[in-house]
Amino acid sequence: MSNVTIRHVHKHYADFHAVKGVSLEIKDKEFVVLVGPSGCGKTTTLRMVAGLETISEGDIMIGNKIVNELPPMDRDIAMVFQNYALYPHMTVYDNMAFGLKMRKFDKAEIAKRVNNAADILDIKDHLMRKPRMLSGGQRQRVALGRAIVRNPQVFLFDEPLSNLDAKLRVQMRVELKKLHQRLATTSIYVTHDQVEAMTLGDRVVVMKDGLIQQVGEPFELYTNPANKYVAGFIGSPAMNFADTMIEEVGNAVYATNPTMRIRVPEQIAARMGPYKGKPATLGIRPEDLHMATGADPEDLSFDAVVEVGEQLGSEIILDLKAGGSTMVASVEPTVKVKPQQTIRLGINPAGLRFFDATTEMAI
Amino acid sequence: MIEGAAWRRWVFFRLPMAIFLIFLLFPFYWMIITTFRPDGELYIPWYRANYKPFWTWNPTTAHLKYLFGETTFAIWMWNTTFIAVVATAISLFCGVLAGYALSRLTFKGAALLGTTIFITYLVPQTLLFIPLSEIIRTYSLGDTPWSLILSYPTFLIPFCTWLMMGYFKSVPKELEECARIDGAARWQAMLYIIIPVAVPGILSAMIFAFTLSWNEFIYALVFLSSPEQKTVPVGVISELVRGDVFFWGPLMAGALLGSIPVAIAYSFFVEQYVSGVTGSVKG
């Protein structure tokens, strides 16, 4: 069993509280992604699991054993670094064999494991080369190979794809996913890229300012963000927000501001009790907006002025101005609009989300 | 490089470069020509018709023969080599370890210690030899190679430490972290990963230290007195300048032979040396 438990972990630096009580249960064979902006504590958390940073408070357990005081070499983990950290003076083979040599494996076993990993990663032809002779993608594979050969309990990834160009990144992302399906090793993956997080993670942990904002499966984070931050972070283009006042008119609840008057769907309206007459933030994803037709009711649509249209072939991304707030809408690629044109956008009511204006928690 | 017309390259690059090279290499040329010039040509006044300062048609090895036959030059060479090699080895060993510790281990007062080491390097040798000679006398090391082997590290260790500190800082921290996750203890990570990666830095520290001890003059002059203990710089000056008589031929022959090992050391490691001083490691 190689589950990882992080329990109330804090990290204090001299004048900076980097991680403020993170608790997380990572199941055996699970692929968990820590995602957040730089400085959110995700890398520090990973480094504490690796044993490269001391833990100021709390416990970290790997396979039900507290590892707080254990040096990195005794934690049975492997880590892949952003800059690959390949040993420049060693060949690819020696890079991959180093960990096994340090652990006194016999030569035949080392050769077997290295060749096997090289096969999986398709770097067999480069085993005798030095890292500087390899391309970025190949180096990344060697770094992965070095982790695989050890057959550790846990893989730790620290932004492993950030140094690759966009195309290669997508390709390596798929390969990482295949690799995990094949090896089924518990993995913790740190990234600032929400697309990587969504595509790779069995579960995604969104962090900000040293705190976990939400933990969940990718689709759950997308559909039910716990707060405004997660809502804005997950999904691309990001969710639109508009400041509104909540009003009750008869049986219906409306979110209004000078440019829109949106009827709140009933299941959310039921939770709106305490917000009547108070401000709340309305959130709607670009993909839940469309060009309004006659079928769209007045209270589920609003006017906006087109600023820029970006034709992507499969869709058009419209940058709009609706009153004081900028909005982004994803509309049919066949729509014809001009800059400065005023259009009416319809809202898919199932996509409406509301957030407390002060705590930013989802309502 | 200078872009543009050919005359611009000549005026702004090639000509200044040529002047610089002539200025730089002329003393060496003078040294070589004097070594092989017979005495009859050396001491000829400039107004004589056959005065040819820049060339000789009668090269001779008489000065070299004199150097090896009439002086203990071979012994001076051996002394200098022995002292320079041992002093360099000691300084490099201490400098590499201290440089690693100061750049990588976070301990209280690390920065202060680093600065202090550097300050000791700034104390001029011309002042330091006075207390040092007292120490040398107390331990009866005077007139032995050990007086220099033990006093050269006083300026070589700070120098090596600082050079290595800078170089170790340019080695990505992740290399070591990765090694430690891979199962290496701290000393193993240093021995198998960091030091091999830092070889260019170590080589440049080595060349510098070797050159400094090879050419060192003041300590050697003060601490050594008998001719068979002397190093090349001191021996050549003290044995070949007698009173106000300069034995130019043997003097220049000694200087020439004395500068050859250093020149060889530099040309051998020039590649590593450049990357060591400019300091960059790519993963």
Side-chain angles (χ1 to χ4, degrees):
Chain A
M1 281 296 285
S2 42
N3 52 325
V4 176
T5 307
I6 301 171
R7 205 186 281 151
H8 309 300
V9 162
H10 288 258
K11 178 69 191 180
H12 296 274
Y13 290 108
D15 48 1
F16 183 53
H17 195 175
V19 176
K20 302 169 185 166
V22 163
S23 293
L24 188 61
E25 182 77 42
I26 297 160
K27 294 190 277 290
D28 188 32
K29 300 186 173 59
E30 197 177 19
F31 198 120
V32 167
V33 179
L34 307 183
V35 64
S38 50
C40 73
K42 57 191 192 300
T43 296
T44 309
T45 306
L46 189 78
R47 289 171 59 86
M48 285 193 284
V49 176
L52 298 172
E53 300 278 351
T54 54
I55 300 163
S56 306
E57 256 179 78
D59 290 317
I60 291 181
M61 302 198 291
I62 298 176
N64 300 326
K65 183 174 149 207
I66 293 185
V67 296
N68 287 20
E69 303 299 325
L70 228 50
M73 59 187 285
D74 296 329
R75 294 194 182 192
D76 201 11
I77 46 159
M79 187 158 169
V80 178
F81 292 86
Q82 179 176 0
N83 63 3
Y84 321 130
L86 299 180
Y87 312 131
H89 59 298
M90 294 186 186
T91 61
V92 168
Y93 183 94
D94 288 335
N95 260 284
M96 285 160 70
F98 183 76
L100 300 174
K101 279 183 190 157
M102 283 290 114
R103 281 158 213 275
K104 309 257 185 310
F105 279 76
D106 66 63
K107 276 218 168 86
E109 176 69 13
I110 293 176
K112 200 180 105 192
R113 287 200 186 192
V114 171
N115 284 318
N116 187 27
D119 260 345
I120 295 175
L121 295 164
D122 199 18
I123 47 174
K124 235 177 157 152
D125 298 338
H126 309 305
L127 282 177
M128 286 306 133
R129 294 196 184 180
K130 292 277 178 69
R132 66 170 174 276
M133 297 158 78
L134 304 178
S135 69
Q138 288 165 338
R139 288 181 199 191
Q140 190 55 70
R141 282 165 207 264
V142 177
L144 282 174
R146 196 166 55 178
I148 293 175
V149 291
R150 295 243 324 275
N151 195 15
Q153 284 198 65
V154 183
F155 283 139
L156 305 177
F157 297 96
D158 185 9
E159 309 219 10
L161 305 184
S162 312
N163 281 11
L164 302 177
D165 63 56
K167 198 174 166 192
L168 206 53
R169 201 178 307 158
V170 174
Q171 199 184 325
M172 286 301 291
R173 206 167 70 201
V174 175
E175 289 200 25
L176 270 176
K177 186 135 189 157
K178 280 189 199 154
L179 197 65
H180 181 249
Q181 283 165 1
R182 178 169 179 166
L183 301 173
T185 305
T186 312
S187 303
I188 308 177
Y189 187 105
V190 161
T191 180
H192 61 263
D193 179 354
Q194 59 94 14
V195 179
E196 257 173 49
M198 296 289 279
T199 50
L200 283 170
D202 294 328
R203 279 193 303 156
V204 176
V205 179
V206 181
M207 290 183 71
K208 187 192 164 210
D209 298 335
L211 288 168
I212 290 183
Q213 303 292 311
Q214 190 174 5
V215 183
E217 290 173 15
F219 192 62
E220 190 190 336
L221 295 187
Y222 178 80
T223 49
N224 288 317
N227 58 35
K228 189 180 161 191
Y229 179 76
V230 175
F233 192 78
I234 299 292
S236 174
M239 185 184 265
N240 299 301
F241 297 107
D243 296 329
T244 59
M245 292 296 288
I246 303 302
E247 287 169 10
E248 190 172 25
V249 179
N251 292 341
V253 178
Y254 290 91
T256 63
N257 69 13
T259 48
M260 54 176 79
R261 180 178 161 81
I262 307 297
R263 186 183 178 138
V264 179
E266 270 169 29
Q267 65 275 27
I268 300 178
R271 298 195 292 271
M272 280 287 190
Y275 292 94
K276 276 160 200 164
K278 291 192 183 142
T281 307
L282 176 152
I284 183 80
R285 293 197 181 277
E287 46 274 37
D288 288 320
L289 295 174
H290 54 264
M291 298 295 283
T293 61
D296 284 290
E298 190 73 8
D299 55 10
L300 277 175
S301 57
F302 61 95
D303 284 327
V305 180
V306 177
E307 295 204 308
V308 180
E310 296 170 295
Q311 173 63 267
L312 298 181
S314 60
E315 58 184 339
I316 294 178
I317 306 291
L318 294 177
D319 278 53
L320 309 143
K321 203 102 189 156
S325 47
T326 45
M327 291 258 172
V328 176
S330 160
V331 299
E332 291 289 309
T334 49
V335 167
K336 297 262 184 291
V337 288
K338 285 192 209 72
Q340 303 313 319
Q341 184 184 339
T342 301
I343 57 171
R344 194 153 182 87
L345 287 168
I347 290 174
N348 169 16
L352 275 172
R353 298 286 176 270
F354 289 91
F355 303 94
D356 189 303
T358 47
T359 65
E360 300 196 341
M361 297 306 286
I363 296 168
Chain B
M1 276 304 286
I2 309 270
E3 309 261 323
W7 71 268
R8 289 178 66 95
R9 276 207 299 279
W10 278 101
V11 170
F12 293 111
F13 179 69
R14 291 186 186 159
L15 200 64
M17 194 65 164
I19 293 169
F20 179 71
L21 275 180
I22 290 167
F23 188 74
L24 203 70
L25 293 176
F26 184 75
F28 291 93
Y29 172 75
W30 194 253
M31 197 161 75
I32 294 165
I33 218 76
T34 312
T35 302
F36 295 106
R37 195 189 284 274
D39 271 338
E41 281 185 28
L42 270 177
Y43 301 104
I44 190 171
W46 62 270
Y47 48 80
R48 291 280 178 77
N50 59 351
Y51 178 68
K52 290 195 297 285
F54 299 115
W55 198 244
T56 174
W57 292 110
N58 312 302
T60 172
T61 55
H63 301 314
L64 288 168
K65 280 184 190 136
Y66 179 88
L67 196 63
F68 284 98
E70 306 297 315
T71 72
T72 48
F73 185 76
I75 295 175
W76 301 338
M77 280 294 266
W78 162 249
N79 287 343
T80 316
T81 312
F82 175 67
I83 290 166
V85 167
V86 178
T88 301
I90 293 173
S91 311
L92 214 52
F93 180 77
C94 299
V96 167
L97 294 183
Y100 176 84
L102 287 172
S103 67
R104 277 298 152 79
L105 310 180
T106 45
F107 54 93
K108 236 184 171 164
L112 182 74
L113 194 61
T115 317
T116 317
I117 287 176
F118 189 58
I119 287 172
T120 63
Y121 181 64
L122 297 179
V123 179
Q125 276 171 276
T126 39
L127 283 181
L128 211 55
F129 84 86
I130 300 168
L132 267 177
S133 62
E134 192 64 28
I135 295 170
I136 298 293
R137 204 165 50 94
T138 309
Y139 290 95
S140 317
L141 292 169
D143 209 19
T144 70
W146 295 103
S147 62
L148 297 187
I149 287 173
L150 295 178
S151 53
Y152 286 175
T154 57
F155 60 90
L156 291 182
I157 289 177
F159 175 79
C160 290
T161 304
W162 264 76
L163 206 140
M164 290 318 298
M165 238 170 97
Y167 200 82
F168 282 134
K169 275 183 186 157
S170 79
V171 176
K173 209 171 61 181
E174 286 84 355
L175 281 185
E176 197 175 357
E177 290 177 344
C178 196
R180 291 178 60 205
I181 289 175
D182 263 351
R186 182 144 226 154
W187 68 268
Q188 286 172 315
M190 187 181 103
L191 198 63
Y192 298 133
I193 305 297
I194 303 302
I195 289 187
V197 167
V199 160
I202 295 172
L203 277 179
S204 26
M206 188 179 86
I207 291 175
F208 260 124
F210 182 79
T211 314
L212 283 175
S213 16
W214 186 274
N215 295 336
E216 205 283 330
F217 186 74
I218 290 185
Y219 289 171
L221 182 72
V222 174
F223 298 156
L224 306 176
S225 47
S226 42
E228 64 278 8
Q229 292 292 350
K230 284 181 176 166
T231 60
V232 171
V234 175
V236 167
I237 300 289
S238 61
E239 304 295 320
L240 294 171
V241 183
R242 299 191 190 132
D244 59 352
V245 182
F246 286 72
F247 289 73
W248 281 119
L251 203 54
M252 285 296 148
L256 179 66
L257 294 181
S259 55
I260 283 173
V262 176
I264 289 174
Y266 268 90
S267 59
F268 227 3
F269 300 118
V270 69
E271 295 269 311
Q272 279 89 349
Y273 174 71
V274 170
S275 80
V277 175
T278 52
S280 75
V281 175
K282 293 193 179 73

